[in-house]
Amino acid sequence: MFTGLIAETGTVVSLEKKVGVTRIRVAAPTLAAQLGTGDSIAVSGVCLTALNITPESFEADLLEETIRRTSLTHLSPGTHVNLELPTPAGTPLGGHVVQGHVDGVGYLLSLTAVTSDADYTDWTLKIAAPASLSPYIVEKGSIAINGISLTVAKTEPAADGAKEVVVAVIPHTYAVTNLHTLQAGDPVNLEVDVLAKYAEQRAAKKNEAETITELSLIAAGF
């Protein structure tokens, strides 16, 4: 489990396509030394398994599911990525529950400074989220964007059931994550709040239980 509080930004060194997988190498001068082979690490919100670790870098394999659901294979050498190690048991949960299981890819629409103060300004981030994730994105709810724990400020409907999602970004987050390197149109990894998905599942089961049919009565012994 992660919290969405980014520990370091790393740099993509290489992406090598192999049979059935793509191997990514990431330079991580601070975190690599803390990794052991097989450890988990979140790379821009994607939980990966660290391999071939050196004092300043690590590799990981991107399987077909990861390639299909995330933006990682769209990256190129030199791209900055957000890095986070798993949260140890008993550690205060400073962000929100982030699994590192990306639900889909959105696209950056804009990143706008709130004030003209070059030394200190908040930012407004707007992304386009796919329609499949729209039911789980609500105002004041949590969302992970490239692995960063953020709060939804507001949502706006878009075409075909999609949503435009607006979040406020404080100066610290802007400075220590890869947000300041993004351009309009860039893909971003999205993970919605897992609690929303569990709530939907429970509600669906409750509704099914309340539906009385001939088969349900027979099953109940009537």
Side-chain angles (χ1 to χ4, degrees):
M1 187 191 79
F2 305 92
T3 64
L5 302 181
I6 304 305
E8 177 185 7
T9 54
T11 305
V12 176
V13 176
S14 62
L15 283 161
E16 180 185 359
K17 291 187 177 180
K18 299 187 174 185
V19 179
V21 302
T22 296
R23 176 67 63 89
I24 187 173
R25 175 167 286 279
V26 178
T30 302
L31 295 187
Q34 302 177 47
L35 292 171
T37 299
D39 285 353
S40 294
I41 184 169
V43 178
S44 282
V46 186
C47 182
L48 299 177
T49 300
L51 304 168
N52 295 339
I53 301 161
T54 73
E56 294 192 347
S57 69
F58 66 91
E59 293 183 348
D61 286 335
L62 311 180
L63 301 181
E64 192 60 38
E65 173 74 359
T66 305
I67 293 169
R68 183 175 67 86
R69 281 189 178 265
T70 78
S71 69
L72 291 188
T73 53
H74 296 284
L75 305 181
S76 58
T79 302
H80 295 289
V81 289
N82 298 321
L83 302 176
E84 182 188 358
L85 297 178
T87 303
T91 301
L93 186 63
H96 74 282
V97 175
V98 177
Q99 296 180 298
H101 303 161
V102 171
D103 294 299
V105 174
Y107 293 89
L108 177 66
L109 296 175
S110 62
L111 183 58
T112 308
V114 175
T115 73
S116 58
D117 186 344
D119 295 323
Y120 188 94
T121 184
D122 295 338
W123 298 79
T124 298
L125 173 69
K126 181 182 285 190
I127 62 166
S132 59
L133 303 186
S134 292
Y136 313 107
I137 303 173
V138 297
E139 187 174 323
K140 305 307 178 186
S142 296
I143 188 170
I145 300 177
N146 274 358
I148 309 164
S149 176
L150 296 166
T151 301
V152 177
K154 66 176 180 178
T155 64
E156 301 170 354
D160 301 322
K163 271 186 179 177
E164 292 185 1
V165 182
V166 179
V167 300
V169 177
I170 63 173
H172 175 77
T173 301
Y174 179 82
V176 303
T177 70
N178 73 347
L179 289 183
H180 65 273
T181 70
L182 301 181
Q183 303 292 324
D186 283 349
V188 291
N189 293 318
L190 303 178
E191 181 183 336
V192 297
D193 192 342
V194 66
L195 298 180
K197 291 187 282 187
Y198 280 124
E200 179 188 53
Q201 185 181 72
R202 288 182 62 85
K205 288 183 177 180
K206 181 179 179 181
N207 290 337
E208 290 173 4
E210 291 175 349
T211 302
I212 299 175
T213 65
E214 181 179 356
L215 291 177
S216 68
L217 290 174
I218 293 172
F222 290 96

